[in-house]
Amino acid sequence: MKGQAPAYSVDAATLFRGLMDGGSNSRILLDLAAANEIELHASSSEWNDLLWLLATALRESEAAYSGEEYATLRSNLPVVFH
């Protein structure tokens, strides 16, 4: 359809890399999606995997997110979860 942004599927590792590494290609994907240049899609299981990756990384740095903070992150990510 003309005018519709191209859609791409992403996995949890790509999303995690994009969140953690500001200079990565994964971050570029997130930035393009945030600017509505592309659409990113992921399954709900990828969200669960991303939660696990984030919780593990935070645990290693002795930090933690609340459930509300994870919910805010999910709603702010430029990704459509199915």
Side-chain angles (χ1 to χ4, degrees), residues 20-60:
M20 298 302 181
D21 184 358
S24 67
N25 288 337
S26 299
R27 181 53 172 263
I28 292 170
L29 285 175
L30 288 175
D31 290 343
L32 288 171
N36 294 319
E37 296 291 324
I38 63 172
E39 279 186 17
L40 296 178
H41 294 263
S43 69
S44 293
S45 66
E46 294 299 338
W47 169 250
N48 292 336
D49 292 345
L50 178 60
L51 282 178
W52 182 84
L53 289 167
L54 289 169
T56 301
L58 290 170
R59 190 175 325 119
E60 290 178 8

